[in-house]
Amino acid sequence: MSLDMGPNPLWQLEDLLPDLALQPGQRVLDLGSGKGATSVFLARECGATVVAADLWVSAAEATDNFVAAGVSDLVTAVNADVRSLPFADGEFDAVVSIDAFEYFGTDVHLLPTLLRVLKPGGRLAMSTPGLATDPYDGPLPDYVRELAGWEAACWHSPQWWHRHWELSGLVGNIRSRWQSGGRDDWLLWARSGGEKHGPVGADPVIRMLEQDVDEQLGFTLISATKN
Ligand SMILES: C[S@@+](CC[C@H](N)C(=O)[O-])C[C@H]1O[C@@H](n2cnc3c(N)ncnc32)[C@H](O)[C@@H]1O
């Protein structure tokens, strides 16, 4: 948990892994990897060769974490913006992104830029905080508006992300879903101390999740294959 920067990234990644079907030795871009929790997991559990790319966390800080976790032979940290990735065309077998796509992925220009570094036939998979009723389709619950404010406009439903990726015409075999029990996992993680390092602290997040009795809050999981 000391490496988590968003809600329960490892539980989300575990849920996405079947969609990625990673093989040991495959080259994976962990996009928006933060302090590196998911990169450590991908190396340890899947034997993947991981490039951990992140904007806010320096490569030096992330590298220290990978050395401490004993995975520095498999994981390389890179400080980069997704809009100008310093990688070759088709360099990766898969791209995975946990709790980060909401910061950049709603821009229609993002997918073509990102897909450049993925092999044709490679898998792209991401999970992101979401609202079961898309913010563009219905009123925001008050408890969400109070905590998240304008940021909740990017907490999209699986249907929104599905259509967004479909409209690009650049990917196929799109699988999108609402994560079962996502709000409960988020609350469990927050109560266990996960949110204490976040920008607003644990208590307001816990209060928001406790008010969410009809599970509007949770996670959108989506994956697709590059054409
Ligand atoms: C909520 S944190 C999640 C980090 C990590 N995936 C985790 O779950 O612990 C979001 C991450 O997205 C990254 N990010 C935001 N905008 C980015 C961009 N334009 N390019 C690359 N990474 C970006 C930030 O640097 C940050 O570490």
Side-chain angles (χ1 to χ4, degrees):
M1 286 176 79
S2 64
L3 298 187
D4 294 355
M5 282 175 65
N8 46 273
L10 298 188
W11 294 340
Q12 293 180 55
L13 177 59
E14 272 191 309
D15 206 349
L16 263 183
L17 275 182
D19 284 3
L20 280 166
L22 290 179
Q23 302 300 316
Q26 282 192 321
R27 193 167 170 79
V28 179
L29 174 62
D30 186 358
L31 179 64
S33 47
K35 294 180 189 169
T38 48
S39 304
V40 172
F41 186 99
L42 287 163
R44 278 194 190 154
E45 304 295 330
C46 308
T49 301
V50 183
V51 174
D54 195 77
L55 184 62
W56 305 339
V57 177
S58 72
E61 181 182 346
T63 299
D64 285 348
N65 293 336
F66 300 139
V67 170
V71 295
S72 56
D73 53 335
L74 286 176
V75 186
T76 307
V78 175
N79 188 230
D81 188 323
V82 63
R83 298 177 186 89
S84 53
L85 290 173
F87 308 120
D89 294 358
E91 184 174 329
F92 295 98
D93 298 297
V95 176
V96 63
S97 183
I98 306 292
D99 278 335
F101 235 75
E102 64 275 19
Y103 293 99
F104 42 74
T106 55
D107 181 349
V108 293
H109 299 97
L110 188 275
L111 217 48
T113 306
L114 172 59
L115 289 172
R116 179 187 67 76
V117 304
L118 182 63
K119 282 181 182 157
R123 294 289 289 167
L124 167 65
M126 72 91 175
S127 75
T128 182
L131 286 158
T133 305
D134 193 83
Y136 285 80
D137 289 341
L140 268 186
D142 287 343
Y143 53 86
V144 174
R145 181 188 301 284
E146 277 158 25
L147 185 88
W150 56 268
E151 232 178 328
C154 65
W155 291 4
H156 287 296
S157 66
Q159 295 77 13
W160 187 94
W161 282 107
H162 195 113
R163 184 67 180 141
H164 189 59
W165 284 18
E166 187 178 57
L167 278 168
S168 77
L170 301 171
V171 290
N173 189 20
I174 303 172
R175 292 183 224 156
S176 60
R177 65 192 158 94
W178 185 243
Q179 187 182 39
S180 168
R183 172 258 186 202
D184 291 349
D185 280 354
W186 190 348
L187 186 53
L188 179 61
W189 176 86
R191 283 177 175 155
S192 308
E195 282 286 359
K196 69 174 181 282
H197 304 298
V200 294
D203 290 350
V205 176
I206 291 171
R207 276 199 301 277
M208 174 182 75
L209 292 165
E210 284 174 344
Q211 288 178 80
D212 187 47
V213 287
D214 61 350
E215 274 198 54
Q216 276 297 308
L217 284 163
F219 299 95
T220 288
L221 272 52
I222 180 164
S223 63
T225 303
K226 179 179 171 179
N227 292 344

